[in-house]
Amino acid sequence: MTVMHWRPAPPRTPGQPDQDRWPLLDDLLPAHDLAVADPALQAAQQALRALIDAAFAP
Amino acid sequence: MIAGRTLDLFAPVLMSLPQLVSPRAIPAPGTPLAEDGPFLAPAAHPDDPDRAVLVAVIDHAIPFAHPLLTTSAGLSRVAAIWLMDAGAQSRRPDIAFGQELRGPQIDALCRPGDPEAAYRALGLTGPGDMSMARHATHGAAVAALAAGHDPGGDAGRAHPVLAVSLPRAALTETSGSIAALFIQAAVIFVIARARALARQMSQRAGRRILPPLVVNLSLGITAGSDDGGALMTRLQDAISASTEPDLGQVHFVLPTGNHRQDCLRAHLAAGQRIGWTIPPADPTPNAVEIWGAPGECLPRLRIAAPQTVPVAVPLDRPGEGQLLDANGHRLARIVLQRRGGASGRGCLTVILPPTLPVDMAAPAAPAGLWQLHLDEAGPSGCDLFVHRDDRLSGLPGQGRQSRLHDPRHARQTEDGRWPLADDPATGSLIRRNGTASVYARGARQIRVGAACASPEGRVSAYTGLLPDGAPGDVTAPADASPARPGMLVPGVAPASRQRLSGTSLAAPQVTRWLAMALTDGAHIPDRQTLRAEYARRASTLPDLPWRDGFRHPDAAAPP
């Protein structure tokens, strides 16, 4: 029988950890710096928000 | 608000977009803007708009040029399809990636005698994307069952089709975690285009037309909030409950899933423990979620890997950490949350890295029997949900399913039959009740289980059960018999057929039934009415045109 050790992780976003996030995503996706979005991704985000408007506030 | 929250919570998925959709699907600078043209050719609009019922299909590799989705004149009944993985040949302000096609654009891409022409024109049959080069796909079966009508007749004209073909990479991920953002976007797209199509129909008719919409989503997952609190169920419930000035009632039809016998669900009281079997040679992570009841204390866990001393997870408030072996290698990551606010439910997620990672330098978990000891929990105990390690039929994937293990739980009876319900006398902690897909836990969705055609109505042994033990609100046949699973359904090419089984095939038959019942004037405002109406009309499940053959519009007229 061997022994395992616990290593706590630092808080994800100090002060305001998002309790509703989906933890498995961290293991499935590569890490990204969310503050540095590339223009194509910003465009994708804008388009998705436009789609939400088209669906719920046309 | 729910839709916007989805974008926020799944921002990491959006940031990974270049890895999750085909590189061609992200519009390059200078991609021309698409014209906002009509949804359908004039002759493809419903004859009687007051009886029209829109049908939406959200799936993968949907053969949008299939003759089952055309009128007798060969015009497309597909009013709009969002091909999330296709190259962006034109751009719309509200399409983030991939390509949207409208009916007249599909008509322009089709060539008589060349059923692949439209797919080839979009690069869906060659290197980089072979999705429509295969003879059989999940989307082909589901779309045909939900919305396919004999192209020799015009019954289908009452049912304009909206569709979303989800990206392959999101569906080959075996837990279903990545697909959530794409599915939410697909639901939003379907609502946006349904409302716009209804406005076009009203304009043509010169009066207000409010067609109902039936949305089929033949996808599911096994872990997550099972109380209807998941964003996906909340969005669908909110849409179904709302009244829009330009669209009739919206119904969502979902399967209950195929995991009743897979030992993915258990209930533990404080002080109890259960085994968790982790398979060897698994290239994907394995995960289990341990959920407490609303407002009760957070669960406390001790966990033991094979051949290790149990270690208590020292989390008494939301946070996370890792379990390491003596050499400092990661064996597990554990996250404690209280989901749904201060009075929400405690959720402890244990995530193990693959037992055979593709990158040999990456962390690896030992295969074998792990032990989960629930040291503390609220008076209601905790529900355990193992994430599925599965994929759609026809898609590649090497995940191997982990399972809960309780020696008192027999997967099959001594004579080899599948037990259909929980037997409290065994004392097993593993549950069959409550194994229905977590996507299908809303208050308004229509949940569909699979049954056998013969003996008629016998529930298929794999059908997921709701918490009360019901195999859904209704069932539909997806298996010929217990000894002959599956049913014959169309493939991608007009003449191809495939044999598939599962609740994924039961749901679209109810979608089809509901659309036709609404066209016939039935008033079905909620699922209670649907159950009664379905029981009353059960012997009139709509016939499927490919069973007796159907005439391809290109075929020469008989002498």
Side-chain angles (χ1 to χ4, degrees):
Chain A
M1 299 288 269
T2 58
V3 176
M4 295 188 291
H5 304 279
W6 174 255
R7 183 168 70 191
R12 179 166 299 264
T13 48
Q16 285 189 322
D18 196 331
Q19 287 300 296
D20 288 324
R21 70 194 169 83
W22 190 258
L24 194 50
L25 285 180
D26 301 337
D27 293 66
L28 297 170
L29 297 170
H32 289 288
D33 182 352
L34 294 179
V36 189
D38 121 357
L41 296 173
Q42 286 181 353
Q45 235 156 4
Q46 274 177 2
L48 286 169
R49 296 210 181 270
L51 189 63
I52 293 172
D53 288 343
F56 304 117
Chain B
M1 181 179 171
I2 302 170
R5 179 84 173 126
T6 303
L7 288 192
D8 295 340
L9 281 176
F10 285 86
V13 177
L14 206 53
M15 299 299 291
S16 304
L17 206 53
Q19 285 83 50
L20 298 175
V21 298
S22 156
R24 304 170 305 148
I26 296 176
T31 304
L33 207 59
E35 286 181 22
D36 198 23
F39 284 100
L40 292 165
H45 268 270
D47 270 339
D48 179 356
D50 291 315
R51 297 180 67 223
V53 178
L54 314 182
V55 177
V57 178
I58 298 169
D59 215 284
H60 172 66
I62 297 169
F64 54 86
H66 200 289
L68 287 165
L69 302 176
T70 62
T71 67
S72 59
L75 296 168
S76 180
R77 291 193 293 111
V78 178
I81 181 168
W82 181 7
L83 302 160
M84 288 183 165
D85 241 350
Q89 298 183 351
S90 60
R91 187 167 52 83
R92 290 184 193 274
D94 59 359
I95 293 296
F97 44 86
Q99 178 71 45
E100 178 184 353
L101 293 177
R102 305 266 170 97
Q105 292 173 294
I106 296 172
D107 294 335
L109 291 172
C110 290
R111 298 282 176 273
D114 183 358
E116 275 190 7
Y119 312 135
R120 215 167 40 242
L122 290 163
L124 304 178
T125 59
D129 189 347
M130 302 282 282
S131 57
M132 303 309 287
R134 302 200 325 247
H135 94 279
T137 66
H138 190 268
V142 171
L145 286 164
H149 289 274
D150 186 348
D154 267 341
R157 275 180 64 188
H159 304 296
V161 179
L162 300 164
V164 179
S165 196
L166 300 166
R168 181 177 184 273
L171 296 175
T172 50
E173 189 279 301
T174 55
S175 73
S177 301
I178 289 176
L181 175 74
F182 297 98
I183 294 172
Q184 290 287 74
V187 167
I188 297 164
F189 169 83
V190 159
I191 300 303
R193 295 307 184 256
R195 294 183 71 173
L197 172 58
R199 289 195 295 272
Q200 273 189 10
M201 290 167 65
S202 297
Q203 208 167 24
R204 276 174 58 86
R207 59 199 156 80
R208 199 163 66 141
I209 303 293
L210 296 174
L213 168 67
V214 186
V215 184
N216 189 90
L217 177 61
S218 280
L219 299 166
I221 55 172
T222 58
S225 175
D226 67 332
D227 53 9
L231 284 170
M232 196 170 302
T233 44
R234 282 169 54 202
L235 180 64
Q236 292 176 21
D237 274 351
I239 291 170
S240 290
S242 72
T243 307
E244 304 298 348
D246 47 12
L247 186 66
Q249 190 174 3
V250 181
H251 304 265
F252 287 91
V253 182
L254 289 93
T256 57
N258 307 325
H259 295 286
R260 188 191 331 178
Q261 309 293 354
D262 291 341
C263 304
L264 306 186
R265 169 96 168 79
H267 184 84
L268 268 66
Q272 290 183 312
R273 68 173 179 149
I274 194 165
W276 183 24
T277 305
I278 303 300
D282 185 357
T284 60
N286 288 290
V288 63
E289 293 185 4
I290 302 167
W291 286 78
E296 294 188 0
C297 68
L298 296 168
R300 300 287 301 259
L301 189 75
R302 257 180 313 142
I303 183 168
Q307 307 299 319
T308 66
V309 177
V311 58
V313 175
L315 288 173
D316 55 5
R317 65 186 67 181
E320 66 178 274
Q322 299 180 344
L323 285 177
L324 309 175
D325 68 12
N327 298 316
H329 297 136
R330 174 160 67 90
L331 299 180
R333 191 166 74 87
I334 301 177
V335 182
L336 179 61
Q337 299 167 290
R338 190 176 283 282
R339 295 203 204 172
S343 58
R345 299 174 69 185
C347 176
L348 189 71
T349 306
V350 181
I351 304 166
L352 307 186
T355 52
L356 184 63
V358 175
D359 174 4
M360 295 306 282
L369 189 62
W370 289 60
Q371 295 290 341
L372 306 171
H373 306 246
L374 186 63
D375 282 343
E376 288 178 31
S380 307
C382 284
D383 291 316
L384 275 68
F385 300 87
V386 174
H387 276 268
R388 71 166 163 84
D389 217 337
D390 197 2
R391 61 183 167 60
L392 287 185
S393 60
L395 286 176
Q398 297 176 313
R400 303 191 69 196
Q401 184 66 62
S402 68
R403 300 175 199 282
L404 297 170
H405 174 78
D406 182 337
R408 294 165 292 188
H409 181 84
R411 290 190 72 197
Q412 289 182 281
T413 60
E414 286 180 2
D415 59 358
R417 292 174 191 270
W418 292 106
L420 299 182
D422 290 328
D423 179 1
T426 66
S428 170
L429 302 173
I430 294 174
R431 297 282 184 268
R432 290 184 173 87
N433 286 4
T435 47
S437 164
V438 166
Y439 285 167
R441 300 303 185 92
R444 292 175 175 268
Q445 301 156 310
I446 297 157
R447 295 82 48 98
V448 185
C452 296
S454 174
E456 189 177 344
R458 178 185 289 186
V459 176
S460 300
Y462 54 77
T463 293
L465 301 179
L466 298 171
D468 64 0
D473 298 305
V474 291
T475 62
D479 298 297
S481 75
R484 182 146 176 73
M487 62 187 296
L488 211 54
V489 285
V492 172
S496 69
R497 299 286 184 272
Q498 54 180 325
R499 189 166 198 91
L500 284 183
S501 172
T503 53
S504 278
L505 304 188
Q509 292 180 75
V510 173
T511 295
R512 179 188 196 86
W513 174 88
L514 178 57
M516 294 176 78
L518 293 171
T519 290
D520 288 344
H523 178 61
I524 304 180
D526 51 43
R527 60 188 183 207
Q528 287 75 18
T529 317
L530 177 129
R531 281 191 210 117
E533 192 71 10
Y534 191 81
R536 194 171 70 76
R537 301 186 183 204
S539 59
T540 59
L541 254 181
D543 198 11
L544 304 172
W546 52 92
R547 288 192 171 152
D548 301 320
F550 61 86
R551 278 182 48 70
H552 190 285
D554 292 343

